[in-house]
Amino acid sequence: MIDAALPVTALKGVGPRLAERLQRLGIHHVHDLLFHPPLRYQDRTRVVPIGGLRPGDEAVVQGRVELSDLQRGRRAMWLVRISDGSGALTLRFFHFSAAMRATLARGATVRCFGEVRRGAAALEMVHPEFRLVDPEAPVPVEAALTPIYPTTEGLSQQSLRNLTEQALALCSDGTIPDWLPTPLLAPLGLPPLAEALRFVHRPPPEVERARLQAGAYPAQQRLVFEELLAHHLSLRILRARAHRHQAPVLRGDGALRTALQQRLPFALTAAQQRVIAELASDLQRDHPMQRMVQGDVGCGKTVVAVHAVLQAVEAGYQAVVMAPTELLAEQHRDNFQLWLTPLGLEVAWLSGRVKGRRREAALAQLASGTARVAVGTHALFQDDVRFHALGLVIIDEQHRFGVHQRLALREKGCHQGRYPHQLIMTATPIPRSLAMTAYADLDLSVIDELPPGRTPVETVALPDSRRDEVVERVRAACGGGRQAYWVCTLIEESEALQCQAAEQTAALLAEQLPELRVALVHGRLKASEKAARMAAFKAGDCDLLVATTVIEVGVDVPNASLMIIENPERLGLAQLHQLRGRVGRGSRASVCLLMYHSPLSENARARLAVLRESNDGFEIARRDLELRGPGELLGTRQTGLQQLRIADLVRDRDWLPQVAQAADGLLRDHPASARALIRRWVPGEIYGDV
Ligand code: ADP
Ligand code: MG
């Protein structure tokens, strides 16, 4: 069998120029071409009666030319009316030649393909493809649906079709092998590879287009399965490889942890204790821990992380805590300082904004080991950062880091052949089966319990036409000594526009609520300014904090018991749940007002209802899966996986248990096939030596 690495230049007609264009689409090998699925399909397999056309259809029609009319206005236009007995259709041309006009003369029979749109008088096609036909001996229609591929300049659909045709032939003759053994496929009811690819690239005329577009045919599912399997295998292999690495044994005498627990103003929940024990046992091994701790907002992940940090420090090693944003990192720094300073530990701080002498000082502390703990952003892993003895890396809010970044961090932390332990913390609740596949390189711990005494946040949805009432509620709450958040959302990607909108809202609210102290935080403020305003809010020197979604994670102000979220319909459920988690942190009953803009779509209404009905992140995630279009809960941004080409982790999640099972079987009985599958589907060097 020839391996998947057959280059595209092996195909007829592919020279250096075409190869270069294909490369722009990420197509280097013949198998890349086969796994470059069509975006959509055209149906040229039947001639449709004109009378049955609807605007928006793309169709083949055939009719007799009844009228050919040249209109000379400011812009010349040529209109041709054709009819097939069931109805009439106008063909409209802005560019045309005398030769074309001579061809489409009255009485000729023409076959056209194009998109139907509503014209001034009748339905029309603008610049359709057309050819004359002999009504007595009509040319045959296409035998399969016509694939339309994602393409690039200088690469025609025709040429992609021609190349995929050749590639399909290589697949049928076994040159592109099917790596999934029949005993594995048969019970799943999935067809062999060659058949599946032929179907996806050239669907037969009888397919239902809606089902096809939804990826629901077994042939499509076969590719979905193979792709999920390949990604899962790659993560499994990464994990196996990581387990072979050496790591420092972080046993520790428990002295610092005991001291911490004596100072804790609360008892740890059973879930916290269980996860702390899981971490403690991982850290004592001489292979690097690779564990993700998942827990809903407010479940108390920080104190769990502090335990792991102390275990590393007790054992004579350093620990770093890294967060994806400056604001979140600052919150961590403050929290860790709160716990660690009384134990006599200094916390070094490093972010992109720490520069000059302060940065040098922090670097010196880390290199000499006088700082046992460091908190910061990506800046912690710049080239010139050296550690004395790094034992543990904690990454918060994993979903913003992909598997590559995770690996890069691990490599950076490697010292004399030993790798630091990695702990990843996330508040994004991901159903277990999804997590097992998307993060198959990690072990999973779940803190599935909130500390006692929390009053659930009461959530109310109301239209923004009742804004005045909402302002009065803010007045009443803050007048009574509470604090409130007002969160501004904006669809615009631009951070500048978001900040501008928040500024306007803050100004308006300050005017409407003159007796309150209103402050504003957004992503464009200087770090020191932002920190000062947050500190003032935390200290109670500010009543109402207007903010963009920068406060999504990490902010902890127990006296804040009211949150207004403007236009919640623009945000995902998981994000709304995170935002709402900023209130309900004290013992007071808290309220979250979702101030939406009418009219709400059916789906938006249902999503806001989920939030009103539940405070449980895992339940919300489950409902989110049911309500949302595929891919939103686990956008690629949020998974450990790279871009998927055909599969959709959410839509196709029912396969995941079988994927895991198939992976076991392949790794055990067909390791070479497992490697070949990874090479086929998961590009990248890191998997090269699997
Ligand atoms: P998250 O999991 O969202 O990061 P935090 O670690 O910020 O949650 O904890 C939220 C709040 O709960 C903090 O004020 C923390 O001190 C407090 N907390 C943590 N564990 C407990 C507990 N077992 N009992 C009571 N309060 C706790
Ligand atoms: Mg947290």
Side-chain angles (χ1 to χ4, degrees), residues 295-316:
D296 204 351
V297 191
C299 71
K301 291 184 288 295
T302 314
V303 71
V304 170
V306 170
H307 276 80
V309 164
L310 291 179
Q311 187 169 338
V313 173
E314 284 168 13

Side-chain angles (χ1 to χ4, degrees), residues 459-463 466 568 592-596 600 608-609 612:
T459 301
V460 180
L462 75 188
R466 291 168 60 186
C592 177
L593 300 180
L594 304 172
M595 195 168 70
Y596 62 83
L600 279 182
L608 297 188
R612 289 208 319 269

